[in-house]
Amino acid sequence: MSQTETHAFQTEVKQLLKLMIHALYSNKEIFLRELISNASDALDKLRFESVSNDALTEGEAELAITLSYDKEAKTITLTDNGIGMTRDEVIANIGTIANSGTKKFLESLSGDQAKDSRLIGQFGVGFYASFIVADKVTLTTRRAGDVAQNATRWVSEGEGDYTLETVEKPTKGTEIVLHLKEDMDEFLDDYRLKNIVTTYSDHISFPIKMIKSEWDAEAKEMKSTGEFEQVNKATAIWTQPKSELTDEEYNNFYQTLSHDYEAPLAHIHNKVEGTLEYTSLLYIPKKAPFDLYDRDRRYGLKLYVKRVYIMDDAEQLMPTYMRFVRGVIDSNDLPLNVSREILQSNKVVDKIRSASVKRVLDHLTKLSKEEDAKDYEAFWDQFGNVIKEGVIEDFANKDKIAGLLRFASTANDGQAQQRVSLQAYIDRMKPEQEHIYYITADTHSAAAGSPHLEMFRKKDIEVLLLSDRIDEWLVSHLTEFEGKKLKSVTSADLKEFEEEAEKNLSEEDKKSREALTEKVKAAISDLVSDVKVTARLTDSPACVVSPEGEMSAHMARMMEQLGQSVPAQKPVLELNPDHALVKKLDTFTDESKIKEWSLFLLEQAQLAEGNQLEKPAEFIKRMNQLLIEVI
Ligand code: ADP
Ligand code: MG
């Protein structure tokens, strides 16, 4: 008999355990789902490793999970004859939290118990869910292939530490005994346990067995027969024909797979036969996972080859912008010993990926075209910005993805929540309108309130209001849609409107406008690259635009925020000749006064653009001076 060693939990584990124990009661039964999912993973791993090393099966043909309980002792026992763990693996997997997600998990807790408990599984901390129902957990495990004497027993009461002991275990795999808390008797019940198993784990691909009990008429209670029976279907759900599966079965499998508490938005199930043979079962979740924008996020696809589990997080099976897709791909054409490296440049994988992407895009397109596209709107809310990455990342599907894009627009009173598609925009375009107009800004209200929209509003021309970080990149890659060019309303070149405005001008007007711009330009030539009279304003006196061919001001600001050096560029100042302030400026002859007013117009235009002023105090001084003059 070896000595018992005591180890302290990593700090994060302690925090987490505390949380489980004290806060997460509302969804307690998920402990079983988590443990079964681990057992199933362990069986998957054994099956995979035994392909190249038959000795690991230790002569046991059947891979299975058993579940039993003991009313007197108040324990639940779950066993699997899977891969098991070495002592070091126990320490690494169960005493520490290898996954950096845990810290994030702790940070993202809302304090709302129901909500928080649903988050648990997503963060890869499933095992600790045992402590929701147990005040002591004993895990005995032996790595397949090790000698019987080399098993490890881990015991913890879920407080600060756990003990480790080397013990004997004749069979490979893991046995977990949960010593239930006082008020957890509900789980010491055949019916209840079976029900949890079939609800959450029916489609785990291994049999889950429980001891069969029968009604004893004399004793008037259920009595154990001592025989095991299989309680779940144990068929890999994706191998079954669609017609035989219910939505509920699809949803439950999704929840086991993703640890999500909600049903998915959609499932897409396909069996492909022919030159390439594979089955894919893909899910689109309802809610974005917490790590959607993390670099070290996990991917959601599991790869199987001929029913044998190969790997999780198979990122080669989906492009980055589809990282939210969850599911399983089971291929008949890949070798069982396929590695991540092989996946990276494999024709079979490429074909499966492009077909899967197409299926997801087609499904989304279908959702988006539904009469009442509520589901699609909900999807867009959660994943819209990720789909935008697709325009940049996935050249082959650019048009399809562009069709999925949704933007806020002036047509909906500028409301951020109501969005339009590019197609809807085109359908509403004025007969003489050639371009799709948009504006980018840091926030929705900055976009909706921009002076650049004045003329468009007056002419009742719709403008898309873009205010997500990625939008500026998006429009630099998506230059046209259905033959219509996308054009920024802040672009220097709005000839289509200028020509029209100039048509009705007398020669004299033209000359006086030229004189005005020359005058202003001379006054502030060191700050602007040009001064023009504009057609784009109706209410504001002035605005700034980037010179043709140069980076937009919004893009320049974003680059700066990202720490990139942006070459200083002087804006073009555009003046509204019909505005009282500009008219007044035109009457001045005193040079210093012209300069003050020109600066004042430039600075307020810059503010309206969302730019920082270099000398805000001077702007205020100038403004106050002007106010004093009118008092
Ligand atoms: P996750 O399953 O997301 O990795 P868990 O907390 O559920 O997180 O489990 C932690 C780790 O403990 C697993 O990744 C696995 O390595 C190990 N483990 C848990 N249960 C078993 C088991 N029954 N057999 C073998 N290893 C297990
Ligand atoms: Mg797990």
Side-chain angles (χ1 to χ4, degrees), residues 34-35 37-43 45 78-80 82-85 89-90 92-94 96 99 121-129 139 141 173-176 259 298 312:
E34 294 302 326
L35 295 182
S37 129
N38 287 347
S40 164
D41 290 348
L43 294 169
K45 282 178 199 155
L78 190 83
T79 72
D80 66 72
I83 194 73
M85 284 179 273
E89 282 168 342
V90 171
N93 297 337
I94 297 197
T96 53
N99 190 332
Q122 277 193 27
F123 291 78
V125 291
F127 173 77
Y128 301 106
L139 173 143
T141 184
T174 304
E175 176 196 84
I176 295 170
H259 304 276
R298 298 208 220 173
D312 275 326

Side-chain angles (χ1 to χ4, degrees), residues 323-528:
R323 56 189 179 270
F324 57 86
V325 176
R326 299 281 174 266
V328 171
I329 287 179
D330 190 345
S331 157
N332 280 349
D333 304 300
L334 290 167
L336 276 167
N337 61 356
V338 67
S339 64
R340 286 190 194 270
E341 290 67 45
I342 294 177
L343 288 183
Q344 251 156 32
S345 52
N346 182 289
K347 286 221 173 70
V348 172
V349 173
D350 290 347
K351 283 192 186 139
I352 295 178
R353 183 179 50 218
S354 61
S356 303
V357 167
K358 193 172 164 300
R359 285 193 192 103
V360 176
L361 289 176
D362 287 348
H363 193 89
L364 290 172
T365 307
K366 202 175 98 210
L367 284 183
S368 74
K369 290 196 170 141
E370 278 173 8
E371 184 94 26
D372 153 32
K374 281 265 172 302
D375 278 350
Y376 189 70
E377 277 169 32
F379 167 81
W380 186 259
D381 266 339
Q382 294 288 316
F383 300 107
N385 281 344
V386 181
I387 290 295
K388 289 176 189 168
E389 293 173 20
V391 172
I392 302 164
E393 185 187 351
D394 189 353
F395 190 76
N397 288 307
K398 197 167 168 178
D399 292 338
K400 225 178 228 162
I401 302 169
L404 290 171
L405 299 174
R406 295 292 180 271
F407 300 106
S409 143
T410 51
N412 293 324
D413 232 6
Q415 282 182 20
Q417 315 79 359
Q418 287 187 322
R419 305 197 187 82
V420 305
S421 66
L422 293 171
Q423 191 57 55
Y425 182 103
I426 290 180
D427 294 344
R428 281 196 289 263
M429 269 166 69
K430 302 259 167 230
E432 69 282 3
Q433 187 181 340
E434 279 176 40
H435 304 300
I436 299 173
Y437 293 103
Y438 68 86
I439 182 164
T440 54
D442 291 341
T443 61
H444 176 75
S445 55
S450 169
H452 291 283
L453 300 181
E454 288 170 6
M455 188 255 317
F456 290 87
R457 284 223 165 86
K458 195 170 139 204
K459 291 188 184 295
D460 195 27
I461 297 173
E462 181 172 3
V463 178
L464 301 174
L465 305 171
L466 277 48
S467 58
D468 285 312
R469 235 156 201 277
I470 189 172
D471 288 339
E472 191 74 54
W473 271 277
L474 177 72
V475 291
S476 68
H477 283 80
L478 184 74
T479 47
E480 64 172 77
F481 181 76
E482 297 287 326
K484 305 285 180 202
K485 288 212 158 45
L486 273 77
K487 189 165 186 181
S488 167
V489 299
T490 66
S491 83
D493 156 37
L494 282 184
K495 287 196 188 72
E496 60 268 39
F497 301 104
E498 280 159 15
E499 281 163 12
E500 189 196 315
E502 271 170 30
K503 250 191 342 227
N504 306 322
L505 284 183
S506 65
E507 276 309 304
E508 213 169 308
D509 282 343
K510 281 186 191 163
K511 273 208 180 106
S512 80
R513 287 184 173 195
E514 214 164 282
L516 166 71
T517 53
E518 285 306 319
K519 194 154 90 176
V520 175
K521 195 171 166 181
I524 53 172
S525 62
D526 48 337
L527 298 173
V528 294

Side-chain angles (χ1 to χ4, degrees), residues 233-248:
K233 286 217 176 82
T235 39
I237 182 169
W238 62 91
T239 62
Q240 289 186 272
K242 281 190 211 185
S243 56
E244 287 172 21
L245 291 163
T246 63
D247 278 351
E248 201 183 356

Side-chain angles (χ1 to χ4, degrees), residues 41 44 238 253-254 256-259 266-270 278-285 289 291 297-305 308-331 334 338 340 343 348-360:
D41 290 348
D44 265 334
W238 62 91
F253 181 68
Y254 164 77
T256 312
L257 191 78
S258 66
H259 304 276
H267 64 258
I268 310 166
H269 189 183
N270 288 86
Y278 66 92
T279 304
S280 65
L281 173 55
L282 308 174
Y283 290 96
I284 303 172
D291 58 355
R297 69 192 155 234
R298 298 208 220 173
Y299 280 73
L301 289 191
K302 277 184 193 259
L303 175 65
Y304 284 73
V305 171
V308 176
Y309 161 84
I310 306 294
M311 67 179 77
D312 275 326
D313 315 338
E315 74 258 28
Q316 295 80 7
L317 293 173
M318 273 288 158
T320 316
Y321 77 100
M322 288 223 166
R323 56 189 179 270
F324 57 86
V325 176
R326 299 281 174 266
V328 171
I329 287 179
D330 190 345
S331 157
L334 290 167
V338 67
R340 286 190 194 270
L343 288 183
V348 172
V349 173
D350 290 347
K351 283 192 186 139
I352 295 178
R353 183 179 50 218
S354 61
S356 303
V357 167
K358 193 172 164 300
R359 285 193 192 103
V360 176

